[in-house]
Amino acid sequence: MESGGEPVRYEVTGAVATVTFNRPDAMNALDVPTKEALLAALRSASADESVRAVVLTGTGRAFCVGQDLREHIQKLNSGDPPLSTVRDHYNPITLAIAEMPKPTIAALNGVAAGAGAAFAFACDLRIAADTASFTLAFSQVGLSADSGASWTLPRLVGTAKAIELLFNPQKIGVREASSLGLVNEVVPADRLAEHVAALAERLAAGPTVSYAALKASVNFGASHSLAETLEFEDAMQTKCGATADHREAVDAFLAKRAPDFLGK
């Protein structure tokens, strides 16, 4: 299914859901309708058992440049609390991406700035076009980090480098982003959609319960002790060991054939 003419497009092809920022004239800036539509799309993808991988991407020259500053200024001038959007929108969006019980891929077609960059960091994988770039512009507008950037960025590049990038909100070209570990792969812009589609299809055909458990284990281990993480691993292994996919993998190994995973 697909919705057109909306600030966020949501399309499911086979077992892959694609969530697309669709305000190209505004560089996919995040106004309230866009944030609400994005959260709804992510929740739809999470709840749909037929969806086994999710792609987040943008239209036009940008992936997403973060907060729509025109809307922000209007709220400042009206006396409304503009930064309530962190609690009301950015926090649940970030959690919806990071806690998605299936693989998530950010297909970075262009610039990702502010919350847009943070949403990409919250994805499991980031595949960038050779025209993509990042800007962590929070301090440039006198604000702190949001959308999980203070949690995800240090885990990608280290604490010292994260502070440096946040203090100096300059454009990070795709080659530098790759060397820093912000992106997993760089591909020619005209091949991005095809390349990411193939990757998403491969992941969707894999043991998605295992992927979800692996993601949960890594995230848990990042903020817990070894002993606590071992307990969590035991719980995840017990869960995965009871799946049809685990039995299928063992049967396929013994039969010397490729496994047919169902994500169950």
Side-chain angles (χ1 to χ4, degrees):
M1 63 180 175
E2 181 176 3
S3 58
E6 300 294 331
V8 172
R9 294 203 314 260
Y10 180 69
E11 180 181 9
V12 176
T13 303
V16 177
T18 301
V19 180
T20 307
F21 296 110
N22 191 36
R23 299 185 70 208
D25 293 343
M27 301 285 281
N28 296 322
L30 296 162
D31 60 2
V32 169
T34 303
K35 287 177 275 195
E36 290 176 344
L38 174 60
L39 183 57
L42 292 168
R43 286 176 171 170
S44 292
S46 180
D48 188 343
E49 292 185 359
S50 71
V51 169
R52 295 174 61 189
V54 179
V55 174
L56 182 63
T57 192
T59 52
R61 296 182 296 118
F63 174 76
C64 173
V65 296
Q67 174 63 39
D68 187 322
L69 291 181
R70 290 185 176 86
E71 180 186 76
H72 183 74
I73 291 170
Q74 289 175 356
K75 287 182 175 291
L76 281 174
N77 292 337
S78 70
D80 290 341
L83 295 180
S84 66
T85 195
V86 172
R87 178 185 63 252
D88 296 341
H89 303 115
Y90 290 147
N91 290 355
I93 288 169
T94 301
L95 288 173
I97 296 171
E99 296 179 353
M100 182 75 65
K102 50 203 77 176
T104 55
I105 306 168
L108 293 148
N109 56 299
V111 62
F119 292 159
F121 299 157
C123 290
D124 300 322
L125 299 171
R126 285 156 299 284
I127 311 300
D130 53 10
T131 53
S133 63
F134 293 92
T135 304
L136 299 169
F138 300 107
S139 66
Q140 199 167 34
V141 290
L143 293 174
S144 183
D146 60 37
S147 307
S150 63
W151 194 91
T152 53
L153 185 60
R155 286 163 171 76
L156 291 170
V157 303
T159 300
K161 192 65 179 182
I163 291 291
E164 178 188 335
L165 295 175
L166 290 166
F167 278 12
N168 299 286
Q170 299 177 1
K171 177 180 177 180
I172 305 167
V174 72
R175 299 301 171 188
E176 181 183 2
S178 179
S179 67
L180 288 172
L182 291 175
V183 299
N184 300 90
E185 193 174 358
V186 178
V187 299
D190 60 359
R191 290 187 51 233
L192 179 66
E194 176 186 4
H195 184 84
V196 170
L199 173 59
E201 289 170 5
R202 179 176 65 79
L203 290 172
T208 47
V209 176
S210 169
Y211 294 153
L214 288 166
K215 175 162 58 173
S217 297
V218 169
N219 288 337
F220 185 92
S223 55
H224 291 79
S225 69
L226 174 59
E228 291 169 323
T229 301
L230 290 171
E231 289 293 326
F232 190 85
E233 285 184 342
D234 177 58
M236 292 297 99
Q237 200 70 296
T238 299
K239 176 181 179 180
C240 290
T243 62
D245 278 352
H246 171 62
R247 181 56 186 263
E248 165 63 11
V250 172
D251 289 345
F253 175 80
L254 294 175
K256 298 182 179 180
R257 60 172 175 81
D260 181 17
F261 293 118
L262 299 175
K264 299 178 181 178

